[in-house]
Amino acid sequence: MNNQLKIAIVLLGLLFCFCLLSFVDPILQPEEERLEYILKDDGQILIPPYPPSEQFWLGTDQNGRDIFTYLVKGGLNTLLIVFVISLIRFVFAVPLGILAYKRKGISHSIIHGFNSFFSMVPILFIAILVLNLPMVLVAEHRLLLSVVLIALLECGAIAVAVQNHVRQIYESSYMEGAIVNGSSKLTVGRFYYWRHVRSHVIIMFFLDAAKVMLLLGQLGFLSMFLSQDWLYDESVGIVVRNNLEIWPTMLADTRQYLRSDIWIPLFPAFMIAYTIFSLQMFGEGLRKHFERRK
């Protein structure tokens, strides 16, 4: 095991341990204790956000929510959403890529059509359009629909990568030996194709999870929510409220605090960046590990 992979495992281990703190109630701020104001002894009234202190380790946001508590509670949800999106993407992309290894047929046309179309436009722009489709905006199960649609956006790129890798195996000399020896299709698929493809798929999965985390962070900063409620406010009319606690949504509407109360966007952005870095390092570490074993 190379040093890069060891460091990545430690970083991911720390990340999961941080998320598991959500089960340790004594260190978290109860929802009902959200502070709307603080009355000092001299009669001065302080309103949130509050800077980092002994009471609030990472400060509070503009609504008086303890940022540390929010980060811990949103950690498992964030990782779950990231891995589910990548898993759905690979469930569709890997079979299509394998079926298209001869570079002809309907599977080949589908994956190259998807890849060509979505490679022409930035994925963030397409994700924003998808999340704002009327059928998605008013969907009863918006979260599920949003996750599936985001997962499908880059299926073409993953499938093409799998297709090219399987094609290399198909054209290799040892495949000719398997065919000459009269090996069955099951044997060829299991011991010749999947044996060499699986490590490539595992590496791509973690690298793709890092890309998903980056995309969700960008969407959160632009106040694009995967799950939301529509509420009526007498003062402003209909408003949209996020109802899914994940790190990217903590970045929503924080641009105004970048110069004054920097801790509000800083700590969620740090956790997102930490996750991206850890997943990227883990994927690259796995690549070096599998290359050494060949």
Side-chain angles (χ1 to χ4, degrees):
M1 186 181 297
N2 57 77
N3 291 332
Q4 183 175 352
L5 184 57
K6 292 178 181 178
I7 295 173
I9 291 174
V10 172
L11 292 176
L12 287 176
L14 293 174
L15 178 63
F16 282 107
C17 288
F18 178 82
C19 295
L20 291 176
L21 290 177
S22 59
F23 298 103
V24 185
D25 291 334
I27 68 172
L28 304 179
Q29 177 196 45
E31 181 67 22
E32 60 271 14
E33 290 186 10
R34 181 187 305 181
L35 294 179
E36 297 181 358
Y37 66 90
I38 293 178
L39 181 61
K40 301 184 68 175
D41 295 337
D42 58 2
Q44 183 182 4
I45 297 178
L46 302 179
I47 61 174
Y50 305 117
S53 62
E54 292 184 3
Q55 182 178 3
F56 307 109
W57 296 347
L58 303 182
T60 73
D61 63 9
Q62 61 274 25
N63 298 313
R65 295 179 301 186
D66 180 36
I67 292 179
F68 176 78
T69 298
Y70 202 141
L71 285 174
V72 171
K73 288 185 175 180
L76 290 178
N77 287 338
T78 303
L79 296 182
L80 180 61
I81 292 293
V82 167
F83 285 122
V84 166
I85 289 177
S86 289
L87 181 61
I88 294 174
R89 183 174 292 169
F90 275 71
V91 165
F92 283 97
V94 173
L96 284 174
I98 294 175
L99 292 174
Y101 75 98
K102 292 186 177 181
R103 296 178 179 172
K104 59 182 180 180
I106 187 171
S107 297
H108 175 73
S109 301
I110 290 174
I111 65 176
H112 279 271
F114 263 77
N115 187 44
S116 299
F117 176 78
F118 290 115
S119 62
M120 294 186 296
V121 185
I123 193 66
L124 174 62
F125 180 72
I126 301 176
I128 292 173
L129 291 179
V130 167
L131 293 179
N132 281 287
L133 290 174
M135 59 172 287
V136 180
L137 279 175
V138 299
E140 181 180 358
H141 303 288
R142 173 180 166 85
L143 176 59
L144 176 61
L145 190 57
S146 299
V147 166
V148 173
L149 291 176
I150 290 176
L152 294 178
L153 291 182
E154 288 199 279
C155 267
I158 300 297
V160 169
V162 173
Q163 178 196 35
N164 292 335
H165 193 70
V166 174
R167 183 70 184 185
Q168 292 177 1
I169 299 172
Y170 174 72
E171 294 175 346
S172 61
S173 58
Y174 59 83
M175 282 302 301
E176 296 179 4
I179 296 174
V180 171
N181 292 333
S183 301
S184 65
K185 291 184 178 180
L186 180 61
T187 300
V188 170
R190 180 180 178 183
F191 293 101
Y192 289 85
Y193 280 114
W194 180 242
R195 180 182 178 183
H196 296 279
V197 171
R198 64 186 178 187
S199 59
H200 188 65
V201 170
I202 293 172
I203 293 169
M204 287 197 303
F205 178 83
F206 286 100
L207 295 178
D208 182 73
K211 293 174 61 178
V212 172
M213 185 75 260
L214 175 61
L215 176 61
L216 293 180
Q218 293 171 323
L219 291 172
F221 188 72
L222 297 174
S223 301
M224 302 299 302
F225 305 129
L226 299 182
S227 181
Q228 60 191 28
D229 294 324
W230 295 83
L231 303 174
Y232 178 75
D233 190 318
E234 294 183 356
S235 59
V236 296
I238 297 177
V239 295
V240 176
R241 184 187 67 181
N242 169 63
N243 61 11
L244 177 65
E245 290 189 352
I246 56 177
W247 295 334
T249 60
M250 296 181 67
L251 297 176
D253 301 322
T254 59
R255 290 183 291 276
Q256 59 182 311
Y257 301 103
L258 289 174
R259 294 184 178 180
S260 58
D261 307 307
I262 187 62
W263 65 85
I264 297 178
L266 176 63
F267 293 114
F270 172 79
M271 293 306 301
I272 292 172
Y274 180 93
T275 304
I276 294 171
F277 178 76
S278 301
L279 292 172
Q280 187 78 21
M281 178 175 282
F282 187 72
E284 294 297 339
L286 283 177
R287 189 194 304 278
K288 293 180 180 179
H289 176 70
F290 288 129
E291 287 176 353
R292 286 184 177 181
R293 293 179 58 184
K294 290 183 179 180

